[in-house]
């Protein structure tokens, strides 16, 4: 009996070691995300995970990658529970980790194929595509591309968007795992060519894509002002101070107008206010209307104003109004992708069993179409806050535009890393679509991002500020925009085909034995 236990002990220790390594791989990928600039940790984390699941059964691949997902998503998504508690944070993190685990099962399966790092990278993209669709209408937070705004792979966004960056990072990581294995374990230097290519080709492709990243003002220039009025306090209950938030943004706009008259700032051609800058419906509240009108007259420029309009059904819409200083509101855009556990509460009645905090989340109604605001010579595409995480929403928003505005409100999530994670997405979108991105946040971080993804100005958190900059307007359609979602579909299909072939290979191997 003791002999049997002695034989089992090393096996369990090996399993425990692989669990720890897998979770550590997830932590490395997490650490590659902003606000840190450790982008190179992402392929290393992928390499560690690849080394653990290489040659294992799909069930083991699922389990170990689930552990990696927990190590990744639990810290990455901690902001989701900042004000509604663990009832949002932990279930969502576990759901995302489980979906990543499914990809891990596929990666373990394809590890029997020749050139497996390539097929494993395709399977990784398949997993990211799945997470962009499910749960809750998709939750693409945590894509590898969003860890890379400071990395060498960023130019690939101009070629085929976030999926190509993910493919490159994953292929580098899995290639690195194979390279190390060949050198240290198998010791077969003749078989180094394939893993070396898997590591090197994505890097070469990224540098080759640099000429596709344009920053020239091929559709003119505009002076843009971004207003960050700040909020009375962080958290969901900032809404109880709605008038104070509106007054803050009016006051900061009027201060900018005084600075312009004094020669301390340039006159803007257009102004961007954040999401929820006026949570008081100006159509229903004459005082709010008057305050916004005062700000527009003072700055003497059209303002894109984040507000909340109440429909005839009594339910709110997260809206951006285009406010002309002479004519008042002349156009509007309603946010199409609503944030779960904030603007909406998935499975509200179910989660209410565990906590009443779920009722602090909203009951917003989504919009159904993109809108481009004409503000002087600028044609402003709009992606409100959470929408910037979704490839299709941003792709539709930039069509017909020459600049992208991202009004956002991250005050709900306090001092968490959420605002920096979202800013990373903004930077990737700038390169993907070849647009200047103006980010206006109620409490920070507001920023100007050039079409090459670099940040030229930014604010701090929970402080009033105004940024003014002369920015390039660009109407160029990038290769990524021309190709649309097709590259991701092809990559996902390649991943599924590889899994199917791997299953057949494994079955034939078992039949041969």
């Amino acid at each position: 009996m003791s002999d049997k236990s002695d034989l089992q002990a090393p096996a369990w220790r090996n399993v425990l070691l692989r669990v720890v390594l897998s979770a550590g791989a997830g932590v490395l990928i997490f650490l590659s995300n902003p606000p840190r600039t450790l982008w190179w940790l992402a392929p290393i984390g992928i390499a560690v995970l690849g080394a653990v699941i290489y040659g294992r059964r799909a069930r083991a691949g699922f389990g170990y990658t689930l552990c990696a997902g927990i190590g990744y998503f639990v810290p990455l998504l901690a902001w989701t529970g900042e004000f509604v508690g663990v009832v949002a944070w932990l279930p969502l993190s576990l759901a995302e980790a489980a979906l990543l685990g499914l990809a891990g099962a596929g990666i373990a399966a394809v590890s029997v194929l020749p050139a497996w790092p390539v097929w494993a990278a395709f399977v990784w993209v398949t997993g990211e595509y799945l997470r962009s669709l499910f749960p809750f209408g998709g939750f693409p937070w945590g894509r590898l591309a969003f860890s890379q705004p400071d990395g060498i792979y960023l130019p690939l966004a101009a070629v085929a968007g976030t999926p190509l960056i993910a493919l490159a990072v994953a292929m580098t990581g899995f290639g690195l795992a194979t390279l190390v294995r060949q050198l240290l374990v198998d010791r077969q230097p003749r078989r180094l060519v394939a893993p070396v290519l898997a590591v090197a080709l994505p890097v070469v492709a990224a540098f080759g894509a640099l000429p596709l990243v344009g920053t020239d003002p091929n559709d003119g220039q505009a002076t843009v002002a971004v207003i960050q009025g700040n909020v009375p306090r962080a958290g969901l209950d900032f809404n109880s101070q709605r008038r104070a938030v509106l007054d803050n943004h009016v006051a900061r706009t009027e201060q900018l107008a005084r600075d312009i008259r004094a020669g301390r700032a340039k006159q803007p051609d257009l102004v961007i206010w954040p999401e929820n800058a006026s949570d008081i419906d100006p159509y229903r509240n004459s005082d709010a209307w008057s305050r916004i009108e005062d700000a527009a007259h003072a700055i003497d420029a059209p303002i894109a104003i984040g507000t909340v309009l109440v429909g005839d059904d009594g339910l709110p819409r997260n809206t951006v109004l285009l406010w002309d200083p002479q004519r008042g509101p002349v156009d509007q855009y309603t946010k199409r992708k609503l944030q779960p556990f904030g603007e909406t509460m998935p499975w509200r009645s179910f989660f209410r069993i565990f906590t009443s905090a779920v009722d602090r989340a909203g009951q917003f109604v989504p919009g159904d179409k993109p809108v481009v605001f004409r503000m002087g010579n600028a044609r402003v595409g709009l992606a409100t806050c959470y929408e910037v995480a979704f490839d299709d929403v941003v792709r539709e928003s930039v069509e017909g535009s020459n600049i992208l505005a991202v009004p956002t409100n991250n005050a709900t999530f306090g001092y968490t890393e959420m605002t920096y994670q979202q800013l990373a997405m903004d930077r990737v979108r700038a390169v993907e679509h070849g647009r200047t991105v103006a980010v206006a946040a109620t409490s920070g971080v507001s920023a100007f991002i050039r079409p090459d993804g670099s940040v030229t100005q930014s604010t701090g958190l929970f402080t009033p500020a105004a940024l003014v900059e002369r920015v390039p307007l660009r109407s160029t359609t990038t290769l990524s925009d021309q190709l649309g979602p097709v590259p991701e579909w092809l990559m996902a299909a390649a991943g599924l085909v590889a899994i199917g072939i791997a299953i057949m290979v494994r079955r034939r191997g078992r039949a041969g034995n």
Side-chain angles (χ1 to χ4, degrees), residues 39-342:
W39 58 269
W40 43 271
L41 285 178
I44 293 176
I46 296 291
V48 173
L49 178 62
V52 170
I53 64 178
Y54 173 79
R56 308 213 169 267
R57 293 181 177 180
R59 182 172 59 185
F62 173 83
Y64 291 130
T65 309
L66 173 67
C67 294
I70 291 171
Y72 181 29
F73 288 110
V74 169
L76 185 80
L77 302 180
W79 54 269
T80 61
E82 182 71 4
F83 292 100
V84 295
V86 297
V87 69
W89 170 33
L90 293 183
L92 179 60
S93 299
L94 290 174
E96 293 293 293
L99 291 172
L100 186 63
L102 290 177
I107 292 167
V110 302
S111 65
V112 301
L113 300 179
W116 82 273
V118 176
W119 304 118
F122 281 125
V123 175
W124 184 280
V125 174
T126 305
E128 290 200 344
Y129 182 56
L130 175 63
R131 289 193 289 109
S132 73
L133 302 175
F134 177 86
F136 315 128
F139 192 77
W141 222 272
R143 284 188 160 196
L144 284 180
F146 299 147
S147 70
Q148 300 299 304
D150 294 294
I152 60 175
Y153 302 99
L154 182 61
L156 294 172
V159 180
T162 59
L164 187 58
I165 296 178
L167 184 77
V169 174
M171 190 182 300
T172 301
F174 291 128
L176 183 61
T178 306
L179 183 61
V180 172
R181 182 181 182 86
Q182 295 290 355
L183 289 172
L184 301 182
V185 180
D186 297 339
R187 299 191 178 184
Q188 296 183 9
R190 294 180 181 179
R191 301 177 63 181
L192 293 179
V193 174
V196 167
L197 288 175
V199 172
L201 284 180
V203 177
V204 172
F207 282 102
L210 278 170
L212 297 179
V213 180
T215 59
D216 58 303
N218 59 30
D219 204 17
Q221 292 180 302
T223 301
V224 182
V226 164
I227 302 297
Q228 178 177 306
N230 203 15
V231 299
R233 57 180 176 268
L236 283 176
D237 60 350
F238 88 91
N239 287 298
S240 64
Q241 300 285 319
R242 294 178 299 171
R243 177 56 190 266
V245 175
L246 171 58
D247 286 343
N248 285 352
H249 286 85
V250 170
R252 194 60 188 86
T253 303
E254 291 176 336
Q255 180 182 333
L256 176 60
R258 291 192 294 272
D259 290 341
I260 292 167
R261 289 194 295 271
R264 294 187 295 268
K266 295 180 179 179
Q267 170 65 42
D269 300 308
L270 62 145
V271 180
I272 310 295
W273 277 16
E275 177 187 33
N276 303 127
S278 174
D279 268 0
I280 305 172
D281 185 340
Y283 290 111
R284 293 171 176 255
N285 187 295
S286 59
D287 195 34
W289 180 290
S290 177
R291 296 294 289 139
I292 295 171
E293 197 168 49
D294 289 344
H297 287 158
I299 201 67
D300 193 27
I303 309 177
I305 297 171
T307 186
V308 173
L309 302 184
V310 179
D312 294 336
D313 54 7
L315 295 176
R317 274 80 170 160
N318 191 333
T319 304
V320 183
L321 284 178
L322 173 53
W323 200 287
D324 183 89
Q326 281 75 45
R327 297 178 292 161
V330 294
D331 205 350
Q332 68 181 56
Y333 167 71
T334 301
K335 187 176 182 180
R336 291 170 286 155
K337 275 288 185 179
L338 301 179
Q339 184 173 309
F341 308 105

